[in-house]
Amino acid sequence: MVSIVVGGHYGDEGKGKIISYLALKDNPDVIARAGVGPNAGHTVYKNGRKYGLRMIPCGFVNDSPRLLIGAGVLVDPQTFLAEVGETDTGNRIGIDKRCAIITDKHKQDDVKDKHLKTTIGSTGTGCGPANAERAHRTIQLAQDIPSLKGFLTDVPKELNDALSSGKKILVEGTQGFCLSLFYGTYPFVTSKDTSASMMAADVGLGPTKITRVYAVFKAYMSRVGSGPFATELDERRAKVPLWKRLLENAKVKGIKGRNPNEIMAEYFNEKGTVTGRLRRVGDFDMELAKYSCMVNGATDVAVTCVDKLFPACFKVRAYDQLSEDAKAYLKNIEQAMGVPTTLISTGPDAEDIIDLRA
Ligand code: GTP
Ligand code: IMP
Ligand code: MG
């Protein structure tokens, strides 16, 4: 059985939280990280400590599974080795020998290049320049780096062998559908496709091997960096339901005369995990989400941060205990998507979740 978790919108949907729950609840034998590379930051908690992981699979919160990084993923050796130490996962993590390597030069280029840094609003982590060099076929691979020697493996072989012997696999996607190089808001996108098929290819699993695809959405939407955001809150749209709810909850002081988006970011505590930049915030975009479910082939939808929109739902762990307005909001999403919402997240801890899976 193979499950893939992908971001449904612009990244930072709380994939980290959903993956940590699945890692603990479903107890997969192997957890593999896919996606672009260290431009992604997944937030997870283990024993009360917060981790913003950029290389290590966030499924590490479960101490047992084998952890892998697929060949499609760019590896920054410094970040990888630092996180291996921080998470104490050296004895169970492997990286594919064909992962491409991010160097200091890629990072410098990402920051120096005005187009990437300013226009696109890249994370500055070297991923764009590294993928460009990878396509140019001059990049170094993990097998060329002495400090990575002890971690090298053949990820597709490990995963397909595990599958053949009936083991459970969890694949962690990164970024979000709207950041896809193919399907996102080009040119304001990342340097690779971000859909579930890409994640499967990243780790070397063929399309016929995938059992379940979880598309993760926040109850509202956020975007870090530049680019179109149709439902973004701004002055002109100040009467949309989300904005009204914020005013009703009135947790933010000094609203008058301030930029609504800044207030929203503050209210929702929306700051980029990798860059610390304030995230832009907006309403849930049904059409976009539906399209995202279609291309991802989603079998399940997970909705996170329901408690931020409906504070009465904070840490609720049973569907019946959700407030009526939250239930109606979630039903609306489910009907529009045509995909069952099977996971509802009501707080940052792995256990703050309502699991409606059969
Ligand atoms: P990905 O990049 O998609 O993996 O998401 P992420 O979890 O890394 O992104 P981010 O750091 O933006 O995560 C969202 C933030 O909200 C994190 O601090 C999470 O711990 C937190 N979070 C996730 N789900 C929930 C939820 O249901 N309720 C609340 N209150 N916080 C949540
Ligand atoms: P890059 O991937 O660093 O080149 O950044 C390109 C665009 O994708 C920028 O708008 C980034 O903010 C965005 N981006 C890349 N990775 C993530 C992520 O994990 N979460 C949210 N936005 C991301
Ligand atoms: Mg993130």
Side-chain angles (χ1 to χ4, degrees):
M1 153 132 192
V2 181
S3 301
I4 301 184
V5 177
V6 288
H9 278 147
Y10 291 100
D12 307 320
E13 299 91 351
K15 289 182 292 294
K17 149 69 194 268
I18 295 297
I19 294 162
S20 59
Y21 171 74
L22 293 174
L24 293 166
K25 175 75 182 175
D26 297 354
N27 201 19
D29 300 281
V30 192
I31 302 178
R33 182 157 172 156
V36 180
N39 50 353
H42 294 294
T43 308
V44 287
Y45 293 85
K46 185 178 187 188
N47 300 329
R49 184 173 160 194
K50 187 175 179 176
Y51 296 83
L53 297 176
R54 297 170 51 200
M55 291 264 56
I56 303 291
C58 38
F60 95 98
V61 296
N62 181 333
D63 288 320
S64 320
R66 167 80 166 146
L67 305 174
L68 296 170
I69 298 180
V73 181
L74 298 165
V75 169
D76 179 336
Q78 276 167 308
T79 308
F80 170 77
L81 293 168
E83 285 187 4
V84 166
E86 205 186 319
T87 55
D88 194 19
T89 48
N91 58 347
R92 60 185 175 120
I93 187 149
I95 65 180
D96 194 279
K97 56 194 176 189
R98 295 150 293 196
C99 286
I101 297 299
I102 297 177
T103 60
D104 286 344
K105 171 88 170 51
H106 296 132
K107 287 186 252 188
Q108 285 154 13
D109 288 351
D110 207 4
V111 182
K112 270 196 314 207
D113 187 310
K114 253 189 100 187
H115 171 70
L116 292 177
K117 192 65 203 160
T118 311
T119 311
I120 307 300
S122 88
T123 57
T125 52
C127 291
N131 268 336
E133 192 181 345
R134 192 175 201 177
H136 196 61
R137 283 149 288 175
T138 45
I139 203 164
Q140 277 190 308
L141 302 182
Q143 62 198 12
D144 306 322
I145 308 297
S147 60
L148 299 179
K149 255 205 163 48
F151 301 100
L152 299 182
T153 187
D154 184 323
V155 168
K157 182 88 174 66
E158 279 205 40
L159 289 179
N160 285 280
D161 283 352
L163 202 52
S164 302
S165 49
K167 291 186 172 164
K168 268 193 280 189
I169 296 169
L170 178 62
V171 178
E172 304 186 6
T174 63
Q175 281 78 37
F177 179 72
C178 311
L179 295 174
S180 164
L181 181 64
F182 297 173
Y183 304 110
T185 52
Y186 188 90
F188 304 100
V189 292
T190 190
S191 49
K192 211 169 85 177
D193 177 35
T194 56
S195 67
S197 308
M198 183 82 253
M199 302 306 164
D202 278 342
V203 299
L205 287 166
T208 53
K209 303 288 166 64
I210 311 307
T211 323
R212 229 162 164 164
V213 175
Y214 294 87
V216 184
F217 297 97
K218 258 181 201 161
Y220 51 96
M221 278 170 70
S222 68
R223 173 165 204 171
V224 59
S226 329
F229 185 173
T231 56
E232 182 173 11
L233 289 165
D234 63 25
E235 234 74 59
R236 284 163 292 131
R237 293 174 45 81
K239 286 201 170 61
V240 297
L242 192 62
W243 177 249
K244 280 214 292 216
R245 198 179 332 266
L246 166 69
L247 289 175
E248 279 157 23
N249 294 335
K251 282 204 180 150
V252 180
K253 300 271 179 281
I255 286 174
K256 225 172 153 210
R258 290 182 60 197
N259 174 353
N261 211 266
E262 213 175 274
I263 298 167
M264 294 299 285
E266 199 177 294
Y267 174 73
F268 287 120
N269 193 18
E270 288 290 355
K271 264 193 184 166
T273 307
V274 174
T275 58
R277 291 180 291 185
L278 274 184
R279 294 180 183 144
R280 300 152 65 193
V281 180
D283 279 317
F284 195 95
D285 187 332
M286 292 287 184
E287 281 311 306
L288 203 55
K290 199 173 167 191
Y291 196 86
S292 162
C293 283
M294 178 182 79
V295 177
N296 279 309
T299 57
D300 296 66
V301 162
V303 181
T304 65
C305 297
V306 171
D307 55 297
K308 290 197 189 176
L309 220 44
F310 304 95
C313 300
F314 185 52
K315 288 189 171 288
V316 163
R317 294 174 186 185
Y319 185 82
D320 288 347
Q321 284 164 23
L322 287 174
S323 60
E324 289 309 315
D325 52 357
K327 280 187 204 162
Y329 188 87
L330 290 164
K331 265 277 156 286
N332 197 20
I333 291 178
E334 185 168 68
Q335 272 163 7
M337 294 311 104
V339 175
T341 298
T342 52
L343 295 172
I344 298 166
S345 175
T346 56
D349 292 337
E351 303 77 29
D352 298 333
I353 202 158
I354 301 166
D355 187 344
L356 302 171
R357 294 176 301 166

